[in-house]
Amino acid sequence: MTALPLFPPSFPSSSTRRRLLTGGAALAAVLASLAASPSPARAGGPAPDGDRLTVTVRNAGSGADETYEVRCRPSGGTHPDPEGACAAVERRTRWGQDAFAPVDPDAVCTMQYGGPATARITGTWAGRRVDATYDRTNGCAIARWDRLVPLLPEVGRGAGAAGA
């Protein structure tokens, strides 16, 4: 049986292959750095349409039921803690990912009830339209809500609760 050559005779020479591989690796590194680069909103510069969110909270108790406006960079609006609210969303902001994404429908969630609180967040964040709803109907939904505290009010924890 005759062995076939690894590369056909018309394939570029080994030095050309090396240059192509090196160039490809360099291109991959540049693309990776661009993907890791912050969006204009994360870089501290203004987002194209500004970061403005409207948060409507219902059934949260303790006077938290209200509609708040939040502006970021600079922080402002009617939210009681606009800097903290902006920082909560900023922590969730990643290139190519929705900071307000719903729970994955295939997620396995604990069957616990965190109360009747609901929230809706609308507006613009990092140049993208936002229209997200939140509740506390199971462990995944509770965790999703809690990741955005203080944009969303802290609910369901009594005084001295562990992990508070």
Side-chain angles (χ1 to χ4, degrees), residues 39-107:
S39 68
R42 286 185 53 81
D49 296 324
D51 292 333
R52 295 175 181 270
L53 300 172
T54 300
V55 181
T56 302
V57 179
R58 297 287 176 253
N59 302 314
S62 302
D65 292 2
E66 197 163 330
T67 297
Y68 303 105
E69 299 291 328
V70 179
R71 290 185 316 276
C72 300
R73 283 175 293 289
S75 299
T78 59
H79 192 282
D81 181 5
E83 290 89 13
C86 293
V89 181
E90 187 69 29
R91 284 190 304 270
R92 304 290 311 149
T93 302
R94 301 281 185 278
W95 178 264
Q97 295 179 4
D98 181 0
F100 304 94
V103 172
D104 182 340
D106 294 330

